[in-house]
């Protein structure tokens, strides 16, 4: 038993010591108890991968002036781009042996910067490095001693003017070398880059080589034969010889665009070639048998030699825009015979200067492009699409997208498009098409000044700003394209529409008529030949919604865009009818933005299918007047509406009754860019499905009101760009589902401790606090401590969450405020000593009280007796025959003692002194120890009635100690053990007792027949002196002296 007690005591002591050490650590310096990368002060985002062993340290754009300390040795990816790092030291990466990717692009973005200084051995220990990005650092040479294992090297936008064997030494494992924009018009160097012949040949594993925008005057000699992609665009290469690409049989993508550009309308400094166009040897491409992509745009080519394409049988993409190839693609064009696998072709902006032909006809050779899927024919400039214009394309079954935009086409015979049965998209935007009823073109062409039109031609704005000469054709929205067959007629002259306008375009699902100046009042017949239309774009027109029957013919329409049609909505006295929504039974999305609506004839909109309504840039602020409830139910009958965007509506106040009549089904409510000074938060309880609430760009000054009614489904709350200077205590404390809260760009100076005190219960993951004028004083202490203890992500914490006051800390990170300044060191140390002394004392007392209460009580009374003067208490005249101690909390044991034991020992047999029983004989109000002491002292024997529960109590142990004390003081053994239950079977004390005085240990019989013998034996034991019962071998040690 003593061993078990000692073990328990030792374990408890160790636990308390560990807890104490943890408390000391947390109290003094929380950051010191965890790695630097886990502290809020660490400027980088750390993202470990749970599927792989990769660890990403993202330090992009953190205003760093050096590589931060605390990056762990297990980091595999490190991004340090867009900072203000001027020097890389030798030790910056010395411990990052596991790094595989290092991004130092624009490491010093200071406009007045010098080049990034990189010592020779900066990357020496990065033996596992595979990707290194050094773009935008004004490097004049490739850094030396790069790790041999580097496979990807990016050196864009530097000042590297020479590539030779020395600069490329050791890069034998390189697979990608990106070295563009080292010398061009926006990064001038007034010379061309020198590539020493054969210097690139050592990179035998190189797959991608980018040398574009480098003022190269010739194709480098000795290119690696392993190349898959070669980019030589926007240089000054005026001739490509037969040997330049010799042996490059693995190249699949070749870019030689922009070497001889058309300069008359170029939006950048442009120097034309001496011979106008680039010269290419007839056999220059003979080795490129695996070529799949070829870009020759912007080279002022006037012809296409068939021999160039003779061996390019696998070509899939060909870009020929911004050349002078109008005759080449309308005449013989025999080169197309070799391109049967071509899938995408761009021949845009090959117009003939100062020429506006009646029509053009594509060469019959286009019929050989049996695999063609996409054809861009923008900017050829002609008046009519005639029967023969596109005839070679009729039989191309794979052709799905045809772009005829920006051609200034005046007339198009729509019957032509009936012959394109497989065509998915017809793009005719930015032309001059007139409404179909205008059969004769004499009127629009009479007085037509051809020279004037060409002089103001939009072609001057069509030259690509980033001249890679691959037009970025984001022609239509993805949802429109996915709906089915598409026709785009935007930015033409279709100022009115009749059903015959779409008679021959086929089964159209998406129609774009934006920007046509369309001003007719829709009556429900205009689109009657398009019964399967699901997407209709009528934006940037002058639609007149006068009739109830508008769009009645479009029973399958799902998306309708009538934004930017403010003309009639701003006209006084005109009918503004929105009943058309009842005619569209499956309408899902309606865009009515930018219409400047400030009055409506219709006071209620009706739709059971509409899910998304864009109503921005109108004047709901005028419509929702406080004392006028006419429009309070404007959106009420949109019963399935989930997204409502009423941003930019000049709303200064939302009347209470308007909240009550908004659709209950809303999941996203956007009210940004208004003039709100207050928001009734209680009203959110009426939107049980609301997930997103955007109140950004308003004039809210505080967030107050009853927080108990905020919806429990809200996950995103955007309050950025307001004037909020105060948050309520326990702000949004019941919004337990909130995951993202944006408070950036407000007027917050201090956030109280109680504001976020309940956030551990919430699901908040991201808190945005950038650009608030925080006070870096001791008033912010608790908020800083909250930041250090929370797991909530606060983006740009070390760069944009900064101090505004005091002046000497302006611009410094709030999290870097030294909280030690808020504490008096001497007083804090004294309080610390007192506090921890109290804690240790309390823990010690609590531990002792829990484990050794009865032992301590005995020691206490023993010491008390010693202090008062201890003397042996001899009591020759006993007041009681036997003191019976038992488990008084067990009713069964108590009943047995009072009804059986008491009766057998007091009332039956010879009469002796009475028993001493706790429940009968102890005087009330006397301490337990005193009662036990007197009962044992004034009784001839002490009978312990033992049960399993009783032997675990402190009363049993204390009574046993006191009985043993009498043995020590008076040499009188008074102990008798009655085993009512089999207990203490493995106790050393019980074993010793049985050996010394076995008759003093009595067990309750297991059979009823033995009970009389038990009682007789018990009477003998309690009435006979224990010395007579001892084993004869030990009795000599007990005397009465």
């Amino acid at each position: 038993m003593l061993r078990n007690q000692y073990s328990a005591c030792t374990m408890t002591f160790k636990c308390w010591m560990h807890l104490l050490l943890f408390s000391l650590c947390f109290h003094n310096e929380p950051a010191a108890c965890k790695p630097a990368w886990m502290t809020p002060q660490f400027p980088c985002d750390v993202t470990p991968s749970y599927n792989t062993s990769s660890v990403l340290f993202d330090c992009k754009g953190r205003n760093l002036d050096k590589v931060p300390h605390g990056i762990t040795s297990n980091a595999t990816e490190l991004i340090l781009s867009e900072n203000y790092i001027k020097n890389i030291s030798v030790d910056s990466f010395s411990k990052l042996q596991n790094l595989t990717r290092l991004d130092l692009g624009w490491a010093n973005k200071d406009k007045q910067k010098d080049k990034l200084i990189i010592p020779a051995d900066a990357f020496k220990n990065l033996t596992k490095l595979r990707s290194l990005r050094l773009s935008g650092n004004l490097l004049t040479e490739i850094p030396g001693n790069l790790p041999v294992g580097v496979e990807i090297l990016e050196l864009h936008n530097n000042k590297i003017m020479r590539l030779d064997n020395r600069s490329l030494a050791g890069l034998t494992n390189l697979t990608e070398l990106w070295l563009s924009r080292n010398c061009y018009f926006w990064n001038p160097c007034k010379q061309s880059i020198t590539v020493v012949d054969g210097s690139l040949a050592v990179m035998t594993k190189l797959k991608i080589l980018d040398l574009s925008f480098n003022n190269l005057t010739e194709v480098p000699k000795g290119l690696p034969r392993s190349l898959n992609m070669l980019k030589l665009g926007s240089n000054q290469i005026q001739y490509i010889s037969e040997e330049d690409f010799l042996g490059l049989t693995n190249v699949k993508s070749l870019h030689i665009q922009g070497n001889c550009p058309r300069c008359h309308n170029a939006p950048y400094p442009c120097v034309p070639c001496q011979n106008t166009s680039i010269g290419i040897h007839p056999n220059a491409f003979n080795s490129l048998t695996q070529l799949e992509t070829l870009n020759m745009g912007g080279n002022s080519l006037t012809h296409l030699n068939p021999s160039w394409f003779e061996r390019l049988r696998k070509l899939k993409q060909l870009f020929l825009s911004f050349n002078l190839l109008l005759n080449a693609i309308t005449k013989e064009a025999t080169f197309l015979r070799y391109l049967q696998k071509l899938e995408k072709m761009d021949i845009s902006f090959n117009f003939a200067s100062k020429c506006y032909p009646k029509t053009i006809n594509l060469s019959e050779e286009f019929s050989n492009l049996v695999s063609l899927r996409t054809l861009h024919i923008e900017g050829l400039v002609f008046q009519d699409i005639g029967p023969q214009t596109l005839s070679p394309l009729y039989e191309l079954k794979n052709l799905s997208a045809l772009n005829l935009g920006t051609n200034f086409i005046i007339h198009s015979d729509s019957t032509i498009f009936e012959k394109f049965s497989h065509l998915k998209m017809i793009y005719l935007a930015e032309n001059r098409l007139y409404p179909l009823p205008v059969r004769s073109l004499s009127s629009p062409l009479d007085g037509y000044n051809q020279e004037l039109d060409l002089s103001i031609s939009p072609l001057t704005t069509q030259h690509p700003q980033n001249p890679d000469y691959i037009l970025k054709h984001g022609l239509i929205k993805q949802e429109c394209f996915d709906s089915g067959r598409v026709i785009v007629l935007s930015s033409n002259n279709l100022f009115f529409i009749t059903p015959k306008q779409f008679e021959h375009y086929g089964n159209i699902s998406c129609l774009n008529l934006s920007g046509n100046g369309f001003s007719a009042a829709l009556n429900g017949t205009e689109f009657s030949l398009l019964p399967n239309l699901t997407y209709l774009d009528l934006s940037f027109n002058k639609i007149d919604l006068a009739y109830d029957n508008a769009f009645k013919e479009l029973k399958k329409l799902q998306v309708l865009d009538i934004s930017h049609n403010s003309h009639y909505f701003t006209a006084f006295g005109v009918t503004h009818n929105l009943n058309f929504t009842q005619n569209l039974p499956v309408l899902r999305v309606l865009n009515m933005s930018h219409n400047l609506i400030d009055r409506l004839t219709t006071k209620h909109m009706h739709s059971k299918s509409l899910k998304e309504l864009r109503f921005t840039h109108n004047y709901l602020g005028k419509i929702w007047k406080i004392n006028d409830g006419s429009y309070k139910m404007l959106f009420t009958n949109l019963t399935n509406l989930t997204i409502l965007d009423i941003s930019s509506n000049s709303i200064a106040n939302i009347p209470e009754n308007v909240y009550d009549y908004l659709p209950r089904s809303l999941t996203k409510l956007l009210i940004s860019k208004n003039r709100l000074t207050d928001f009734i938060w209680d009203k959110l309880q009426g939107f049980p499905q609301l997930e997103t609430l955007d109140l950004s760009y308003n004039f809210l000054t505080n967030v107050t009101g009853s927080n108990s009614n905020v919806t429990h489904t809200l996950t995103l709350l955007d309050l950025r760009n307001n004037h909020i200077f105060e948050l309520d205590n326990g702000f949004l404390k019941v919004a337990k589902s909130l995951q993202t809260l944006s408070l950036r760009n407000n007027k917050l100076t201090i956030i109280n401790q109680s504001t976020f005190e309940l956030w551990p219960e919430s699901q908040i993951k991201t808190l945005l606090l950038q650009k608030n004028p925080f006070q870096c004083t001791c008033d912010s202490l608790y908020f800083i401590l909250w930041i250090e203890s929370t797991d909530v992500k606060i983006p740009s914490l070390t760069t944009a969450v900064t101090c505004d006051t005091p002046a000497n800390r302006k611009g410094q990170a709030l999290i870097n405020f030294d909280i030690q300044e808020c504490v008096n060191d001497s007083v804090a140390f004294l309080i610390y000593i007192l506090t921890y002394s109290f804690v240790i004392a309390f823990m010690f007392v609590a531990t002792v009280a829990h484990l050794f209460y009865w032992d301590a009580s005995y020691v206490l009374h023993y010491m008390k007796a010693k202090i008062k003067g201890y003397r042996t208490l001899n009591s020759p005249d006993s007041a009681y025959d036997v003191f019976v101690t038992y488990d008084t909390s067990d009713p069964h044991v108590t009943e047995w003692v009072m009804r059986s034991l008491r009766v057998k020992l007091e009332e039956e047999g010879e009469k002796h002194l009475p028993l001493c029983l706790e429940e009968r004989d102890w005087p009330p109000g006397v301490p337990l120890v005193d009662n036990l002491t007197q009962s044992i002292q004034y009784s001839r024997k002490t009978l312990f009635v033992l049960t399993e529960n009783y032997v675990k109590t402190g009363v049993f142990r204390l009574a046993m100690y006191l009985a043993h004390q009498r043995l020590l003081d008076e040499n009188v053994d008074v102990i008798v053990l009655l085993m009512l239950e089999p207990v203490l079977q493995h106790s050393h004390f019980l074993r010793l007792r049985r050996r010394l005085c076995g008759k003093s240990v009595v067990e309750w019989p297991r059979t009823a027949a033995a009970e009389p013998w038990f009682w007789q034996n018990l009477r003998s034991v309690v009435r006979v002196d224990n010395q007579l019962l001892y084993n004869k071998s030990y009795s000599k040690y007990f005397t009465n002296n």
Side-chain angles (χ1 to χ4, degrees), residues 35-37 42 46 55 57 69-76 95-99:
W37 65 270
F42 191 67
V46 183
V55 180
F57 281 76
H69 296 291
I71 301 174
T72 57
S73 58
N74 66 334
T76 58
K95 298 180 180 179
L96 306 181
Q97 295 91 342
N98 292 305
L99 211 60

mmCIF file of all heavy atoms in Angstrom, residues 35-37 42 46 55 57 69-76 95-99:
data_model
loop_
_atom_site.group_PDB
_atom_site.id
_atom_site.type_symbol
_atom_site.label_atom_id
_atom_site.label_comp_id
_atom_site.label_asym_id
_atom_site.label_seq_id
_atom_site.Cartn_x
_atom_site.Cartn_y
_atom_site.Cartn_z
ATOM 1 N N PRO A 35 8.205 27.273 -32.817
ATOM 2 C CA PRO A 35 9.105 27.721 -33.890
ATOM 3 C C PRO A 35 8.686 29.082 -34.446
ATOM 4 O O PRO A 35 7.513 29.468 -34.386
ATOM 5 C CB PRO A 35 8.951 26.616 -34.943
ATOM 6 C CG PRO A 35 8.431 25.434 -34.188
ATOM 7 C CD PRO A 35 7.593 25.977 -33.081
ATOM 8 N N ALA A 36 9.643 29.786 -35.022
ATOM 9 C CA ALA A 36 9.387 31.132 -35.527
ATOM 10 C C ALA A 36 8.299 31.146 -36.588
ATOM 11 O O ALA A 36 7.496 32.073 -36.649
ATOM 12 C CB ALA A 36 10.682 31.725 -36.083
ATOM 13 N N TRP A 37 8.252 30.103 -37.437
ATOM 14 C CA TRP A 37 7.273 30.100 -38.527
ATOM 15 C C TRP A 37 5.849 29.934 -38.031
ATOM 16 O O TRP A 37 4.895 30.177 -38.777
ATOM 17 C CB TRP A 37 7.607 29.013 -39.549
ATOM 18 C CG TRP A 37 7.513 27.606 -39.039
ATOM 19 C CD1 TRP A 37 8.508 26.874 -38.468
ATOM 20 C CD2 TRP A 37 6.362 26.766 -39.051
ATOM 21 N NE1 TRP A 37 8.055 25.628 -38.123
ATOM 22 C CE2 TRP A 37 6.737 25.531 -38.473
ATOM 23 C CE3 TRP A 37 5.051 26.921 -39.489
ATOM 24 C CZ2 TRP A 37 5.848 24.474 -38.322
ATOM 25 C CZ3 TRP A 37 4.161 25.869 -39.351
ATOM 26 C CH2 TRP A 37 4.568 24.663 -38.776
ATOM 27 N N PHE A 42 5.821 35.970 -37.991
ATOM 28 C CA PHE A 42 6.493 35.412 -39.168
ATOM 29 C C PHE A 42 5.782 35.903 -40.424
ATOM 30 O O PHE A 42 4.567 35.756 -40.562
ATOM 31 C CB PHE A 42 6.476 33.888 -39.111
ATOM 32 C CG PHE A 42 7.365 33.245 -40.126
ATOM 33 C CD1 PHE A 42 8.743 33.382 -40.059
ATOM 34 C CD2 PHE A 42 6.829 32.497 -41.167
ATOM 35 C CE1 PHE A 42 9.572 32.785 -40.995
ATOM 36 C CE2 PHE A 42 7.645 31.905 -42.110
ATOM 37 C CZ PHE A 42 9.028 32.049 -42.018
ATOM 38 N N VAL A 46 2.773 29.499 -44.478
ATOM 39 C CA VAL A 46 3.363 28.163 -44.528
ATOM 40 C C VAL A 46 2.267 27.158 -44.847
ATOM 41 O O VAL A 46 1.254 27.093 -44.138
ATOM 42 C CB VAL A 46 4.048 27.794 -43.193
ATOM 43 C CG1 VAL A 46 4.724 26.432 -43.307
ATOM 44 C CG2 VAL A 46 5.052 28.867 -42.807
ATOM 45 N N VAL A 55 6.647 21.272 -48.318
ATOM 46 C CA VAL A 55 6.280 22.366 -47.413
ATOM 47 C C VAL A 55 6.559 23.671 -48.149
ATOM 48 O O VAL A 55 7.700 23.943 -48.535
ATOM 49 C CB VAL A 55 7.068 22.311 -46.101
ATOM 50 C CG1 VAL A 55 6.649 23.465 -45.190
ATOM 51 C CG2 VAL A 55 6.849 20.979 -45.393
ATOM 52 N N PHE A 57 6.735 27.747 -48.296
ATOM 53 C CA PHE A 57 6.852 29.022 -47.592
ATOM 54 C C PHE A 57 6.599 30.127 -48.621
ATOM 55 O O PHE A 57 7.441 30.369 -49.497
ATOM 56 C CB PHE A 57 8.241 29.176 -46.968
ATOM 57 C CG PHE A 57 8.419 28.407 -45.677
ATOM 58 C CD1 PHE A 57 8.601 27.037 -45.693
ATOM 59 C CD2 PHE A 57 8.403 29.070 -44.460
ATOM 60 C CE1 PHE A 57 8.762 26.321 -44.522
ATOM 61 C CE2 PHE A 57 8.558 28.369 -43.275
ATOM 62 C CZ PHE A 57 8.738 27.005 -43.296
ATOM 63 N N HIS A 69 14.312 35.034 -41.179
ATOM 64 C CA HIS A 69 14.772 33.926 -40.348
ATOM 65 C C HIS A 69 13.576 33.069 -39.952
ATOM 66 O O HIS A 69 12.459 33.548 -39.851
ATOM 67 C CB HIS A 69 15.474 34.462 -39.094
ATOM 68 C CG HIS A 69 16.730 35.232 -39.389
ATOM 69 N ND1 HIS A 69 17.874 34.639 -39.869
ATOM 70 C CD2 HIS A 69 17.001 36.566 -39.290
ATOM 71 C CE1 HIS A 69 18.803 35.559 -40.038
ATOM 72 N NE2 HIS A 69 18.306 36.741 -39.696
ATOM 73 N N GLY A 70 13.841 31.799 -39.695
ATOM 74 C CA GLY A 70 12.780 30.915 -39.234
ATOM 75 C C GLY A 70 12.284 29.946 -40.280
ATOM 76 O O GLY A 70 11.423 29.116 -39.991
ATOM 77 N N ILE A 71 12.798 30.038 -41.508
ATOM 78 C CA ILE A 71 12.413 29.072 -42.537
ATOM 79 C C ILE A 71 13.064 27.735 -42.198
ATOM 80 O O ILE A 71 14.275 27.648 -42.056
ATOM 81 C CB ILE A 71 12.841 29.556 -43.931
ATOM 82 C CG1 ILE A 71 12.190 30.907 -44.250
ATOM 83 C CG2 ILE A 71 12.467 28.539 -44.996
ATOM 84 C CD1 ILE A 71 12.673 31.531 -45.540
ATOM 85 N N THR A 72 12.259 26.726 -42.050
ATOM 86 C CA THR A 72 12.749 25.442 -41.552
ATOM 87 C C THR A 72 13.483 24.652 -42.629
ATOM 88 O O THR A 72 13.272 24.852 -43.824
ATOM 89 C CB THR A 72 11.592 24.609 -40.995
ATOM 90 O OG1 THR A 72 10.611 24.434 -42.023
ATOM 91 C CG2 THR A 72 10.960 25.297 -39.804
ATOM 92 N N SER A 73 14.308 23.734 -42.164
ATOM 93 C CA SER A 73 15.144 22.974 -43.092
ATOM 94 C C SER A 73 14.350 21.998 -43.944
ATOM 95 O O SER A 73 14.844 21.514 -44.963
ATOM 96 C CB SER A 73 16.216 22.198 -42.314
ATOM 97 O OG SER A 73 15.605 21.323 -41.375
ATOM 98 N N ASN A 74 13.088 21.708 -43.559
ATOM 99 C CA ASN A 74 12.276 20.788 -44.365
ATOM 100 C C ASN A 74 11.483 21.511 -45.448
ATOM 101 O O ASN A 74 10.660 20.895 -46.126
ATOM 102 C CB ASN A 74 11.331 19.992 -43.464
ATOM 103 C CG ASN A 74 10.295 20.875 -42.797
ATOM 104 O OD1 ASN A 74 10.531 22.070 -42.609
ATOM 105 N ND2 ASN A 74 9.169 20.297 -42.415
ATOM 106 N N ALA A 75 11.714 22.810 -45.617
ATOM 107 C CA ALA A 75 11.033 23.573 -46.668
ATOM 108 C C ALA A 75 11.428 23.030 -48.036
ATOM 109 O O ALA A 75 12.607 22.831 -48.329
ATOM 110 C CB ALA A 75 11.377 25.050 -46.564
ATOM 111 N N THR A 76 10.433 22.813 -48.890
ATOM 112 C CA THR A 76 10.694 22.328 -50.249
ATOM 113 C C THR A 76 10.431 23.401 -51.298
ATOM 114 O O THR A 76 10.984 23.328 -52.388
ATOM 115 C CB THR A 76 9.823 21.100 -50.551
ATOM 116 O OG1 THR A 76 8.433 21.443 -50.380
ATOM 117 C CG2 THR A 76 10.166 19.947 -49.611
ATOM 118 N N LYS A 95 20.912 26.428 -44.961
ATOM 119 C CA LYS A 95 20.315 25.342 -44.184
ATOM 120 C C LYS A 95 19.081 24.742 -44.851
ATOM 121 O O LYS A 95 18.397 23.914 -44.260
ATOM 122 C CB LYS A 95 19.955 25.841 -42.790
ATOM 123 C CG LYS A 95 21.156 26.309 -41.977
ATOM 124 C CD LYS A 95 20.731 26.794 -40.592
ATOM 125 C CE LYS A 95 21.937 27.263 -39.794
ATOM 126 N NZ LYS A 95 21.548 27.754 -38.440
ATOM 127 N N LEU A 96 18.800 25.153 -46.078
ATOM 128 C CA LEU A 96 17.584 24.698 -46.756
ATOM 129 C C LEU A 96 17.931 23.623 -47.780
ATOM 130 O O LEU A 96 17.644 23.758 -48.971
ATOM 131 C CB LEU A 96 16.881 25.886 -47.415
ATOM 132 C CG LEU A 96 16.560 27.070 -46.491
ATOM 133 C CD1 LEU A 96 15.829 28.170 -47.262
ATOM 134 C CD2 LEU A 96 15.717 26.623 -45.304
ATOM 135 N N GLN A 97 18.526 22.548 -47.304
ATOM 136 C CA GLN A 97 19.014 21.510 -48.219
ATOM 137 C C GLN A 97 17.902 20.778 -48.950
ATOM 138 O O GLN A 97 18.154 20.132 -49.964
ATOM 139 C CB GLN A 97 19.860 20.482 -47.450
ATOM 140 C CG GLN A 97 21.141 21.052 -46.863
ATOM 141 C CD GLN A 97 20.951 21.571 -45.445
ATOM 142 O OE1 GLN A 97 19.830 21.811 -45.024
ATOM 143 N NE2 GLN A 97 22.046 21.750 -44.729
ATOM 144 N N ASN A 98 16.660 20.860 -48.446
ATOM 145 C CA ASN A 98 15.546 20.135 -49.076
ATOM 146 C C ASN A 98 14.787 20.974 -50.097
ATOM 147 O O ASN A 98 13.785 20.517 -50.653
ATOM 148 C CB ASN A 98 14.575 19.639 -48.001
ATOM 149 C CG ASN A 98 15.185 18.544 -47.138
ATOM 150 O OD1 ASN A 98 15.648 17.545 -47.654
ATOM 151 N ND2 ASN A 98 15.190 18.745 -45.839
ATOM 152 N N LEU A 99 15.245 22.174 -50.336
ATOM 153 C CA LEU A 99 14.532 23.074 -51.237
ATOM 154 C C LEU A 99 14.583 22.551 -52.672
ATOM 155 O O LEU A 99 15.644 22.237 -53.202
ATOM 156 C CB LEU A 99 15.160 24.471 -51.170
ATOM 157 C CG LEU A 99 14.236 25.669 -51.410
ATOM 158 C CD1 LEU A 99 13.122 25.685 -50.374
ATOM 159 C CD2 LEU A 99 15.042 26.961 -51.339
#
